[in-house]
């Protein structure tokens, strides 16, 4: 964490008792409490990390010292807590989670009254209070109260069911393998799917904050056991959640891992068939696949900068009902405009029941793209100049400059070049209709970026 910066792309994150300590959590609680104002009602909950309870209590101490009343929901997926903030008409909330980071990390994020994370501008206000020690300390008679709020996980499961055809899914008797990463996804997803009439095989279902089963990021290298289990038991679907269960990655019935851009496109297509002329919000890092789907099924893509909060905020702004990211985050507005792993799973089961198709078939009928990634070293102070030079070179071409430069070529290939927010590098995401072309794009732009850097 830099000296006057607390929040990163997704809230405050750090290694427990090294970068993020209980003392800091009390101060963060005081800052968030001061930001919301006395007598405001805030929900607090945490994921399954070993430090979850410790940080929740420290944050609650700060919030109540600032005069805010706390409803404590305990352990729950991030989307269940976000839903509870809205459902219980709270003024906001605080979630203790480090999402997909390894077990030694934890984090804190502030939630607005609609369940969406506070904006980056609001985070800056909270940071200002924190670094200037400008806390509101309530008088002893004005301290906030703390009450338990049981049942948020059950309410969340009930709410999701309202958005799918429960009877139609149940009639299919799907067999689903659920990999909950030993975290909070296991508190809701298996229950939801059982209520949808599915047969469940569970992996890493017991809560264990050391995450003994696998690392909580649902990347292919962490999902080998899920893929082989789906095949071994002959399941219709496999699903893996990240540490706080807002993202989900799926495995089809053949045991193939289908990355987030593909399943998002499956959901977007069905959504557009039912809701033509709708807007779909997605960051510029998403595959051209989503653009193809939007063009084919009468949708409009609204591109954003990379980051889930940006997608949520943009969905609110343009009144879009669907958003998605390539990392397995799908935002279903009719439920809530935030990433939601269990909602995404229910939507996919609904589509499989409705179309009678397997996931492998649903993915295979989409346009296919090959994706390659790369990076080039670039000192922080040269990033802006390099971006300017790049844009100069591509003047007159089809370039999106929302976040770095995304360049589309005539053969339907594209490359996104963006300065990393955390490392002295420029990141590259290429995609093309052939693997060879994607590889070539990365090679070509590695040379180009290095040549341009040499002139700065
Ligand atoms: Mg997450």
């Amino acid at each position: 964490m830099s000296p006057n910066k607390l929040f990163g792309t997704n809230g405050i994150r750090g290694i427990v008792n090294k970068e993020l300590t209980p003392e800091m959590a009390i101060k963060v609680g005081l800052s968030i409490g001061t930001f919301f104002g006395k007598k405001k009602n805030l929900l607090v909950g945490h994921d399954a990390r070993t430090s979850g309870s410790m940080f929740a209590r420290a944050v609650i101490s700060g919030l109540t010292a600032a005069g805010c009343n706390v409803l404590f929901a305990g352990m729950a997926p991030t989307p269940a807590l976000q839903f509870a903030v809205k459902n219980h008409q709270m003024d906001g909330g605080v979630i203790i989670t480090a999402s997909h980071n390894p077990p030694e990390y934890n984090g804190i994020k502030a939630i607005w009254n609609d369940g969406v994370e506070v904006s980056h501008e609001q985070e800056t206000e909270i940071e200002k209070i924190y670094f200037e020690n400008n806390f509101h300390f309530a008088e002893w008679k004005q301290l906030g109260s703390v009450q338990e709020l049981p049942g948020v996980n059950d309410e969340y499961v009930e709410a999701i069911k309202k958005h799918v055809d429960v009877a139609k899914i149940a009639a299919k008797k799907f067999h689903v393998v659920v990999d909950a990463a030993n975290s909070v996804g296991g508190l809701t997803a298996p229950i939801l799917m059982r209520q949808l009439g599915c047969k469940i095989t569970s992996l890493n279902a017991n809560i264990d904050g050391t995450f003994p089963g696998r690392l909580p990021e649902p990347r292919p290298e962490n999902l080998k056991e899920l893929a082989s289990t789906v095949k071994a038991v002959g399941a219709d679907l496999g699903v893996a959640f990240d540490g706080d269960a807002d993202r989900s990655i799926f495995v089809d019935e053949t045991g193939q891992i289908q990355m987030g851009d593909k399943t998002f496109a499956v959901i977007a297509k069905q959504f557009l068939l039912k809701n033509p002329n709708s807007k779909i919000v997605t960051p510029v890092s998403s595959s051209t696949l989503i653009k193809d789907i939007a063009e084919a099924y009468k949708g409009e893509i609204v591109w954003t900068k990379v980051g889930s909060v940006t997608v949520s905020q943009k969905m609110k702004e343009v009144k879009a009902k669907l958003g998605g990211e390539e990392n397995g985050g799908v935002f279903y507005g009719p439920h809530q405009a935030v990433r939601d792993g269990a909602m995404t799973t229910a939507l996919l089961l609904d589509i499989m029941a409705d179309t009678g198709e397997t996931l492998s078939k649903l993915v295979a009928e989409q346009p296919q793209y090959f994706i390659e990634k790369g990076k080039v070293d670039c000192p922080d102070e040269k990033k802006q100049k390099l971006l300017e030079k790049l844009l100069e070179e591509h003047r007159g071409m089809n370039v999106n400059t929302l976040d770095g430069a995304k360049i589309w070529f005539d053969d339907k290939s594209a490359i996104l070049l963006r300065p990393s927010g955390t490392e002295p590098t420029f990141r590259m995401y290429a995609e093309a209709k052939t693997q060879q072309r994607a590889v070539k794009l990365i090679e070509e732009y590695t040379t180009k970026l290095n040549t341009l850097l040499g002139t700065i």
Side-chain angles (χ1 to χ4, degrees):
M1 265 174 256
S2 61
N4 53 5
K5 198 100 192 83
L6 269 180
F7 290 94
T9 347
N10 275 100
I12 303 165
R13 292 273 168 92
I15 296 174
V16 175
N17 279 350
K18 291 210 166 84
E19 295 161 340
L20 186 60
T21 64
E23 291 108 301
M24 287 168 72
I26 293 176
K27 275 182 72 180
V28 171
L30 271 164
S31 308
I32 295 174
T34 304
F35 165 78
F36 274 98
K38 53 195 171 189
K39 294 292 159 212
K40 289 290 174 4
N41 298 313
L42 304 178
L43 183 108
V44 175
H46 58 88
D47 71 15
R49 289 164 193 277
T50 54
S51 56
S53 172
M54 172 180 88
F55 283 124
R57 278 159 173 81
V59 166
I60 290 172
S61 175
L63 292 173
T64 50
C68 289
N69 298 320
V70 170
L71 282 188
F72 181 50
M75 207 186 278
T78 291
L81 294 165
Q82 290 174 295
F83 180 77
V85 167
K86 197 172 66 153
N87 193 35
H88 288 271
Q89 292 162 343
M90 308 288 292
D91 296 302
V94 182
I95 301 178
I96 314 296
T97 177
S99 184
H100 60 273
N101 287 143
E104 62 272 26
Y105 283 79
N106 213 335
I108 304 172
K109 52 186 176 186
I111 306 296
W112 194 242
N113 62 12
D114 54 4
V116 177
E117 279 171 62
V118 296
S119 66
H120 293 311
E121 291 74 28
Q122 290 170 320
E123 285 179 346
T124 307
E125 280 182 56
I126 295 168
E127 268 169 356
K128 199 160 179 283
I129 299 168
Y130 181 97
F131 288 110
E132 290 175 2
N133 287 312
N134 198 8
F135 311 122
H136 169 73
F137 281 104
E139 302 243 352
W140 68 272
K141 282 188 287 187
Q142 308 290 332
L143 296 174
S145 62
V146 186
Q147 274 179 287
E148 305 268 325
L149 180 67
V152 299
N153 287 328
D154 293 341
E155 291 165 6
Y156 166 71
V157 166
E158 280 307 311
I160 290 174
K161 278 160 46 188
K162 291 189 188 131
H163 298 284
V164 292
D165 190 333
V166 177
K168 207 180 228 177
I169 298 171
K172 290 284 183 180
K173 297 189 166 50
F174 289 125
H175 182 178
V176 184
V177 183
V178 182
D179 180 344
N182 297 107
S183 194
V184 287
L187 298 175
T188 51
I191 296 163
L192 167 68
M193 283 178 258
R194 215 165 280 130
Q195 292 182 14
L196 294 174
C198 300
K199 177 181 168 186
I200 307 295
T201 298
S202 289
L203 294 177
N204 308 318
N206 59 313
I207 295 285
D208 184 335
T210 66
F211 302 150
R214 65 163 167 93
L215 284 171
E217 170 132 49
R219 296 163 61 87
E221 58 267 36
N222 297 331
L223 305 183
K224 289 185 185 136
E225 191 191 8
L226 174 66
S228 60
T229 307
V230 167
K231 227 176 153 188
V233 302
D236 299 289
L237 186 71
V239 56
F241 299 104
D242 75 327
D244 64 335
D246 61 346
R247 284 162 50 195
S248 47
I249 293 290
F250 298 91
V251 170
D252 71 25
E253 78 292 350
T254 72
Q256 176 76 33
I257 299 167
Q258 298 292 359
M259 292 314 288
D261 52 346
K262 300 199 163 143
T263 45
F264 173 42
V266 167
I267 290 168
K269 175 184 163 183
Q270 294 302 319
F271 176 79
L272 287 172
L273 285 172
K274 289 181 180 161
N275 307 276
N277 306 312
S278 294
K279 293 187 175 103
I280 292 177
V281 177
T282 198
V284 285
S285 52
S286 287
S287 165
T288 305
L289 172 57
I290 192 67
K291 194 170 155 226
D292 291 351
I293 296 287
E295 277 163 13
Y297 299 97
K298 295 200 183 97
E300 184 197 331
I301 296 288
V302 180
W303 298 104
T304 69
K305 285 181 186 254
V306 177
S308 69
V309 185
T310 313
V311 174
S312 291
Q313 303 288 356
K314 183 57 89 176
M315 282 178 72
K316 288 204 283 191
E317 185 192 319
V318 303
K319 297 192 169 50
K321 292 202 176 88
L322 188 69
E325 299 172 316
E326 44 76 40
N327 61 13
V330 174
F331 309 59
Y332 188 60
H335 172 54
Q336 54 179 351
V338 299
R339 302 195 287 207
D340 190 323
M343 183 71 243
T344 308
T345 313
L347 287 173
L348 210 49
L349 289 169
D350 199 45
I351 292 166
M352 286 164 62
D354 199 26
T355 59
E357 303 286 8
T358 58
L359 179 58
S360 68
K361 177 87 191 300
L362 288 164
V363 169
E365 54 190 40
Q366 297 176 336
Q368 303 297 317
Y369 285 93
F370 293 86
I371 293 170
E372 283 292 320
K373 294 184 185 178
K375 57 182 174 180
V376 164
D377 293 337
C378 174
D380 287 340
E381 64 276 12
K382 290 192 176 177
K383 283 174 175 169
Q384 189 52 34
K385 193 79 198 150
L386 179 57
L387 184 59
E388 282 164 20
K389 290 239 170 198
L390 251 178
L391 292 173
E392 237 167 71
E393 273 228 344
H394 292 80
R395 198 169 290 154
M397 288 183 66
N398 187 1
V399 183
N400 182 314
T401 56
L402 256 180
D403 198 350
K406 181 153 187 175
I407 306 154
W408 276 289
F409 304 94
D410 291 338
D411 63 348
K412 300 218 76 174
S413 59
I415 189 162
L416 170 66
L417 307 140
R418 64 185 279 271
S420 161
T422 50
E423 288 171 35
T425 58
F426 236 76
R427 293 180 189 279
M428 300 181 283
Y429 310 76
E431 63 172 344
K433 300 301 272 179
T434 64
Q435 185 83 37
Q436 205 187 5
R437 169 74 171 141
V439 171
K440 193 138 192 303
L441 271 173
I442 292 291
E443 286 171 2
E444 211 178 286
Y445 275 85
T446 303
T447 311
K448 195 184 283 285
L449 287 178
N450 280 322
T451 311
L452 287 174
L453 258 177
T455 68
I456 296 171

